[in-house]
Amino acid sequence: MMSCSTCRFYAAAPQPGRGQCRAAPPTVMLAPLKTLAGDTITPISVWPGVEADSWCGQFEEGELCNR
């Protein structure tokens, strides 16, 4: 079955049925950050979150990503 959970680019997350797609480099986004000096916005890099039963056109069979 072609789904994210069986794709070599899928990395499982601690939440059941969720994971990360690692077919491309992480995406930079802005996120709120609480510091002692107050709230600020900071850039972070993240892989897209995906549902285990989702799918896309970049599916590849092979050894699953475990990083």
Side-chain angles (χ1 to χ4, degrees):
M1 180 167 122
M2 290 178 39
S3 67
C4 288
S5 65
T6 60
C7 179
R8 72 183 215 101
F9 299 118
Y10 179 77
Q15 304 90 349
R18 298 275 308 154
Q20 297 173 329
C21 177
R22 299 200 174 175
T27 302
V28 176
M29 60 184 282
L30 298 176
L33 178 68
K34 293 188 180 291
T35 67
L36 293 176
D39 294 346
T40 187
I41 302 291
T42 188
I44 62 170
S45 58
V46 295
W47 278 283
V50 295
E51 300 291 328
D53 60 355
S54 294
W55 62 276
C56 79
Q58 293 184 306
F59 177 86
E60 285 187 26
E61 289 184 290
E63 186 174 329
L64 297 177
C65 178
N66 61 3
R67 293 173 248 138

